[in-house]
Amino acid sequence: MDRIDLHILRELQNDGRLSNQELAHRVGLSPSPCLRRVRQLEQDGVIRGYRAIIDPEAVGRGFEVLVSVEVRRDRETVEAFEEALQDVPDVIEAYRLFGSPGCLLRIAVADLAAYERLWIERLTTLAGVTEVNSQIIMKRVKEPKGLPVDIRGA
């Protein structure tokens, strides 16, 4: 990737709805080569997709919780736990960690009662779970804005 590709990535992260015409203008290309570069970045898997950022309150999921989960540390149990997480739509992010806790989840539900139901009925019943600790998010201080893309060194 060269400086122009990195510039394209930075612009699309800031606004994935840019027209090719506007994107080309911002990165200093004509539309045709700009579109070729974007398609190549998509084909190479550098650009994984495009999505809308939705207000959680607008879809009834304004109550967010960070949950640390300890799971028995054998391969089959960890794999079963991770597979089971795929079927829990309230878990919007999940990370396997080194050390303790073994897993960190970000959960979005309607309210405390909905989280309590999820905790009792799903989280504590997942394969190999030995401990579940919850931290309720008070306020989002910094929104995810994508990865820093530095074009200065390219």
Side-chain angles (χ1 to χ4, degrees):
M1 281 193 296
D2 63 12
R3 183 180 179 87
I4 294 173
D5 288 335
L6 293 172
H7 197 174
I8 288 170
L9 294 175
R10 188 166 67 181
E11 291 297 330
L12 287 175
Q13 267 195 142
N14 288 332
D15 184 356
R17 294 187 67 182
L18 283 175
S19 69
N20 183 59
Q21 187 82 18
E22 178 61 24
L23 178 62
H25 173 73
R26 290 185 186 187
V27 301
L29 290 175
S30 60
S32 202
C34 182
L35 184 58
R36 274 195 302 274
R37 283 178 178 257
V38 170
R39 287 194 174 141
Q40 188 65 53
L41 290 165
E42 292 169 345
Q43 186 177 6
D44 292 345
V46 176
I47 297 174
R48 294 184 183 176
Y50 302 88
R51 60 179 56 122
I53 299 169
I54 300 170
D55 176 4
E57 292 285 342
V59 293
R61 293 191 175 268
F63 190 82
E64 291 189 29
V65 184
L66 296 177
V67 179
S68 57
V69 179
E70 286 295 349
V71 178
R72 282 193 320 275
R73 308 249 177 159
D74 62 86
R75 182 179 181 165
E76 294 79 22
T77 302
V78 170
E79 287 175 354
F81 171 77
E82 290 177 358
E83 181 66 30
L85 281 180
Q86 305 307 311
D87 296 327
V88 185
D90 302 311
V91 176
I92 57 175
E93 290 182 78
Y95 302 93
R96 185 192 310 166
L97 307 175
F98 285 106
S100 213
C103 188
L104 182 64
L105 311 178
R106 183 170 151 233
I107 293 176
V109 291
D111 53 27
L112 181 58
Y115 177 64
E116 183 180 13
R117 279 191 307 280
L118 177 71
W119 191 92
I120 290 169
E121 296 171 8
R122 298 293 302 269
L123 296 180
T124 59
T125 66
L126 291 172
V129 170
T130 60
E131 189 175 334
V132 178
N133 292 299
S134 310
Q135 293 81 38
I136 297 171
I137 296 175
M138 180 187 304
K139 174 184 173 184
R140 186 181 304 263
V141 177
K142 184 176 180 181
E143 291 283 336
K145 301 230 189 253
L147 297 170
V149 179
D150 186 8
I151 61 174
R152 290 173 284 160

